[in-house]
Amino acid sequence: MNDRFRSRTQWIAWRIALLAIVACGQPALANPEALELVKTIPLKGAAGRLDHLALDRNGERLFIANLSNNSLDVVDLKAGRLIKQIPDQHKIQGVAYVPNVDRIFARNGKDGVCNIFDGKSYEIIRSVKLDDADNVRYDPRTKQIYVAHAENGLSVIDPMTMEVRATVKLPGAPEAFQLDPIQPRLYINIPMPSQVAAVDTRTNKVIAKFPLTLAEANYPLAFDSRRGRLFVGCRKRPTVVVLDVTTGKEVVGIEIPGDIDDLFYDKKRARLYASCGEGVLAVIQRKEADRYEVVERISTGKLARTCLFDAERGRLYVPVPRQTDGTRPELRIFQAKPR
């Protein structure tokens, strides 16, 4: 080996060693963005809340309970525009879509009904009397609609016949609930007293109650069925409480922004998306076992406290109501990015 070649080799080795030392001394990179804003769609309505949503994935439609406008709004996601506002839906909050019958189920609180709409004409087919109905969910496993309502009730509606098949008596006034995709279970929030009730969907009976001590005013609920973890969104001492569904015990509490109303678990990316009326969309990442961390806070707008996550496409839909500065209502669509 000649002197020139040896010198060149030593210089390269020195450069590699120097770069390694510099790299080791650098601080770790900040968490990359978990959500990317990919589209914004203008909406219509007065100042006030936009409430829960439902998705027609095949038809690329999103249904929004426009509480401020007393209307059920239909957004064409492919065209990127609001195509319909169904009026006279007083105190509309919960909404669900059943694809095999192409019907929309919407809670109309002031009139004390769950209205059922045809998915093509948007005409009301039937109104089922349920006092102060709130959250509405469709269970694709059992092909049933579940509606939480006043007098501590949870009713089961057959989407085909549109008849009430059963009503579950609950230990208190209900809020959000989640259906177990694997076994015949349903978990439902009861804010007073603060607890989560487990319901057997075969017998339509409450089979367990999980009290909360870390926080109160539990409204939204998300579920990691694979790991057996319930995520309970609480407004009093703003926290997401993690529950073990096997033991019913609280595992940990995660501090979040105030006024949460929707919460979704993204099992592919091990994340939670918490929509908070304080004006913040919080992204919570599971780091390991039962350790969670808020890794991103996205500014939305006051009272923007609902959202809907499409796990199949990794899309999060966040309706933002009209703001006091004159900013018009809009739908923001985020794409979830890899971990």
Side-chain angles (χ1 to χ4, degrees):
M1 184 183 293
N2 60 42
D3 290 342
R4 184 177 179 184
F5 183 78
R6 184 182 296 109
S7 177
R8 177 69 177 172
T9 303
Q10 290 173 340
W11 181 83
I12 292 172
W14 176 82
R15 289 285 295 172
I16 291 171
L18 180 62
L19 288 171
I21 292 168
V22 171
C24 290
Q26 292 296 313
L29 291 175
N31 286 303
E33 289 184 355
L35 295 170
E36 178 187 3
L37 181 64
V38 294
K39 185 180 287 189
T40 300
I41 299 175
L43 300 175
K44 296 179 182 178
R49 286 166 48 199
L50 297 166
D51 225 280
H52 298 296
L53 308 90
L55 177 67
D56 169 16
R57 185 178 292 109
N58 293 333
E60 296 192 73
R61 294 179 297 175
L62 190 74
F63 307 105
I64 304 174
N66 191 334
L67 184 60
S68 68
N69 201 52
N70 289 318
S71 63
L72 174 61
D73 293 4
V74 185
V75 174
D76 184 326
L77 295 172
K78 188 175 182 179
R81 63 187 182 91
L82 176 69
I83 59 172
K84 181 77 175 177
Q85 288 189 302
I86 304 170
D88 303 321
Q89 303 306 302
H90 305 288
K91 203 180 176 184
I92 183 172
Q93 286 184 267
V95 57
Y97 176 71
V98 183
N100 62 309
V101 292
D102 194 18
R103 289 173 182 166
I104 310 150
F105 291 71
R107 173 262 200 199
N108 192 325
K110 187 174 180 181
D111 297 331
V113 295
C114 178
N115 285 331
I116 305 171
F117 298 89
D118 178 82
K120 291 183 176 63
S121 67
Y122 301 116
E123 296 293 328
I124 292 181
I125 307 170
R126 185 170 182 181
S127 294
V128 178
K129 185 68 177 176
L130 293 170
D131 288 339
D132 198 23
D134 194 353
N135 281 269
V136 185
R137 295 278 189 278
Y138 173 62
D139 185 357
R141 190 177 65 83
T142 62
K143 295 181 170 53
Q144 300 296 300
I145 283 283
Y146 291 84
V147 184
H149 56 88
E151 299 304 320
N152 307 346
L154 176 75
S155 288
V156 187
I157 300 176
D158 187 321
M160 294 288 291
T161 65
M162 296 175 286
E163 298 287 344
V164 175
R165 296 187 59 193
T167 297
V168 182
K169 186 67 174 178
L170 299 170
E175 281 296 331
F177 55 94
Q178 288 294 331
L179 294 141
D180 192 320
I182 301 169
Q183 59 180 337
R185 291 286 184 276
L186 178 152
Y187 301 97
I188 186 162
N189 267 331
I190 309 293
M192 294 184 64
S194 295
Q195 61 184 298
V196 177
V199 175
D200 186 322
T201 55
R202 292 170 302 187
T203 62
N204 292 313
K205 302 284 187 184
V206 173
I207 57 172
K209 301 172 189 176
F210 308 146
L212 300 175
T213 62
L214 296 177
E216 299 176 89
N218 46 312
Y219 285 84
L221 193 65
F223 186 37
D224 175 3
S225 58
R226 185 179 67 83
R227 300 184 65 252
R229 294 292 185 263
L230 280 171
F231 304 101
V232 189
C234 300
R235 295 180 189 167
K236 191 172 181 181
R237 298 193 296 275
T239 304
V240 171
V241 177
V242 183
L243 285 179
D244 183 327
V245 296
T246 303
T247 65
K249 302 298 184 182
E250 295 165 306
V251 177
V252 69
I254 310 155
E255 187 177 340
I256 57 168
D259 198 26
I260 185 172
D261 202 43
D262 259 335
L263 181 66
F264 287 88
Y265 181 66
D266 179 352
K267 66 179 181 180
K268 183 178 179 180
R269 301 164 186 85
R271 290 183 193 139
L272 287 160
Y273 305 118
S275 189
C276 304
E278 186 180 294
V280 177
L281 174 64
V283 180
I284 302 166
Q285 184 74 58
R286 182 172 68 82
K287 295 293 186 176
E288 57 185 29
D290 284 307
R291 189 170 72 84
Y292 302 84
E293 180 183 331
V294 176
V295 295
E296 191 172 358
R297 289 176 171 85
I298 300 170
S299 179
T300 51
K302 290 294 183 183
L303 296 180
R305 63 184 198 175
T306 58
C307 62
L308 178 69
F309 181 62
D310 177 9
E312 187 175 301
R313 295 176 179 169
R315 294 228 158 168
L316 184 71
Y317 300 94
V318 182
V320 179
R322 183 180 293 273
Q323 299 296 296
T324 54
D325 64 0
T327 304
R328 295 182 178 181
E330 61 186 21
L331 175 69
R332 296 180 189 175
I333 304 175
F334 295 87
Q335 180 65 50
K337 299 171 73 174
R339 291 183 63 172

